[in-house]
Amino acid sequence: MFIGPVRFDVELRQLVNTESAQALKLSNIEFLVINELISFRGQVVSTESMCTLLLPKVVTAQDITIAITNIKAFLGANTASMIEVVTNQGYLLHVKSRRLQMHSSPYAAFSIKQFSLLLLLGVMLVIFLATHFKTTENIRFSLPEQILLDGKSSVLVPIYNSDAELDSYQSKFREVAIKLEQCEAQMWDKIYTSASPSGDMLHFVMQAENDKVMNFENLKVLNVGDSWNFINDSWLQEYGLCE
């Protein structure tokens, strides 16, 4: 279960930041608080109900407040806002904190930065091969599709691993390009994007050159589902694809 890039490990009773690899060992109260918030994400969990769950141990509202403060401090400035303090009621974990299905693959241990680097290296390899080697009539090789954003100097580059993925996602990525065009300002020169074969994950790698220095940022979206309607102007701004 994830809150932004932070994974809640139930068995080890700790929070793990998948980007920095830092971990926070949870106290009994902190474990209870985060477990309840995730179990009822999108709903207000009252302070009284959390105190009751720890009976016969006496826990006060102040204890819960301290636990929430410690958790939000570990989540960091960009993620702590997912936990909202609802005055005179309790606490709310916003629904954009999604439940992640864990995989047994050894590649699950890759960090987002490592995954992004592999994706970027793959893109560069495709470009290198396409520009340095000729193909015979029986071999077809093409660069990734590049969609120039209307009114912008930016380019969206969808990456497909197969013809089946091209058929499944091409129209959806074109819709994403249209939404990116509606941004007031675009800070990225190129945005590489791909979908997992099952369609349950989207990955974005943003590239920009400033003062001859190449900068990259990445975003991985989990549990996407069939609908990409969550990608709108406010979402693009919140996650740094638009200014």
Side-chain angles (χ1 to χ4, degrees):
M1 292 170 281
F2 275 71
I3 304 175
V6 176
R7 177 167 60 88
F8 175 44
D9 192 318
V10 178
E11 293 183 358
L12 296 180
R13 299 172 70 91
Q14 65 183 9
L15 295 176
V16 181
N17 189 312
T18 57
E19 292 182 340
S20 64
Q22 293 180 324
L24 172 66
K25 190 69 175 178
L26 298 169
S27 67
N28 289 337
I29 297 177
E30 291 166 350
F31 178 82
L32 168 74
V33 166
I34 198 67
N35 189 59
E36 284 296 289
L37 290 177
I38 288 177
S39 298
F40 296 97
R41 61 191 182 280
Q43 305 176 43
V44 176
V45 180
S46 70
T47 302
E48 292 77 9
S49 66
M50 288 189 281
C51 291
T52 301
L53 287 174
L54 282 171
L55 290 175
K57 180 178 180 179
V58 177
V59 176
T60 66
Q62 182 65 20
D63 294 327
I64 301 297
T65 299
I66 293 173
I68 290 286
T69 301
N70 292 340
I71 292 169
K72 288 169 70 74
F74 182 78
L75 293 178
N78 294 331
T79 309
S81 59
M82 289 186 178
I83 299 179
E84 180 182 349
V85 180
V86 182
T87 306
N88 297 327
Q89 295 186 51
Y91 302 91
L92 168 69
L93 177 61
H94 287 283
V95 293
K96 62 185 177 183
S97 170
R98 297 172 180 266
R99 185 181 299 270
L100 176 68
Q101 181 179 0
M102 301 304 293
H103 301 278
S104 58
S105 166
Y107 298 103
F110 277 18
S111 70
I112 294 176
K113 290 182 179 179
Q114 290 171 323
F115 186 83
S116 303
L117 180 59
L118 289 176
L119 176 63
L120 183 59
L121 290 175
V123 171
M124 290 179 175
L125 177 61
V126 169
I127 296 173
F128 176 81
L129 292 175
T131 54
H132 288 76
F133 292 92
K134 295 182 179 179
T135 60
T136 67
E137 294 181 356
N138 295 325
I139 299 176
R140 294 183 301 163
F141 195 92
S142 62
L143 286 170
E145 177 185 26
Q146 299 193 41
I147 306 173
L148 179 63
L149 303 182
D150 187 28
K152 308 284 191 306
S153 59
S154 305
V155 176
L156 178 70
V157 186
I159 299 172
Y160 310 102
N161 295 316
S162 64
D163 290 339
E165 287 189 16
L166 177 65
D167 294 337
S168 298
Y169 303 125
Q170 185 177 44
S171 61
K172 288 190 173 184
F173 281 129
R174 289 183 178 274
E175 291 176 4
V176 173
I178 292 173
K179 294 177 180 179
L180 285 167
E181 289 173 349
Q182 297 171 356
C183 297
E184 292 186 5
Q186 180 57 253
M187 61 183 293
W188 303 108
D189 300 323
K190 287 189 177 181
I191 301 174
Y192 298 96
T193 182
S194 64
S196 63
S198 61
D200 62 346
M201 183 183 78
L202 290 176
H203 194 237
F204 297 87
V205 176
M206 291 83 80
Q207 169 191 330
E209 183 175 352
N210 297 312
D211 298 326
K212 297 184 179 181
V213 176
M214 198 68 69
N215 297 312
F216 294 94
E217 285 194 17
N218 64 84
L219 171 67
K220 183 163 66 174
V221 187
L222 305 172
N223 297 342
V224 174
D226 295 330
S227 175
W228 294 10
N229 292 333
F230 65 91
I231 300 178
N232 53 35
D233 183 63
S234 59
W235 187 91
L236 292 171
Q237 291 186 32
E238 181 178 359
Y239 289 99
L241 279 83
C242 288
E243 288 187 320

